[in-house]
Amino acid sequence: MTAKVHIMLKKGILDPQGKTIHHALENLGIDQIEEVRMGKLIQLQLGDVPEEEAENIARQACTKLLANPVIEDFRIELVND
């Protein structure tokens, strides 16, 4: 089982990396994009565990270490390998 953890800054939090990427894309002539938000993808290999346990382990990892709940939201996607 693999848990893919998608972490993004919450709406309203300034995203300087996203702004920089957006500006660079405009400089390349790609100006149809209205906004860029930068995030993180973290993959957790969990071995052969039930889906509910995998979700709990990934959620604990996020709340205790991987995500900053003050400024970031996270979403967990479970994938059977």
Side-chain angles (χ1 to χ4, degrees):
M1 175 78 64
T2 299
K4 294 182 178 182
V5 179
H6 304 265
I7 301 172
M8 297 292 295
L9 289 171
K10 291 182 176 179
K11 286 283 185 190
I13 301 293
L14 183 64
D15 182 357
Q17 287 181 306
K19 293 277 186 206
T20 300
I21 292 168
H22 187 228
H23 185 68
L25 290 169
E26 286 179 332
N27 286 341
L28 292 172
I30 304 170
D31 55 3
Q32 301 87 354
I33 298 170
E34 293 181 7
E35 182 181 23
V36 176
R37 301 286 291 176
M38 183 71 182
K40 299 180 266 189
L41 169 63
I42 301 171
Q43 285 193 188
L44 306 172
Q45 299 296 329
L46 296 168
D48 189 21
V49 297
E51 190 168 313
E52 184 175 325
E53 184 178 347
E55 171 85 21
N56 288 336
I57 293 168
R59 186 164 302 283
Q60 283 183 14
C62 289
T63 58
K64 291 182 177 180
L65 179 68
L66 302 177
N68 180 344
V70 175
I71 61 170
E72 296 173 321
D73 290 322
F74 66 86
R75 177 175 58 85
I76 298 166
E77 174 188 357
L78 298 176
V79 179
N80 282 316
D81 301 317

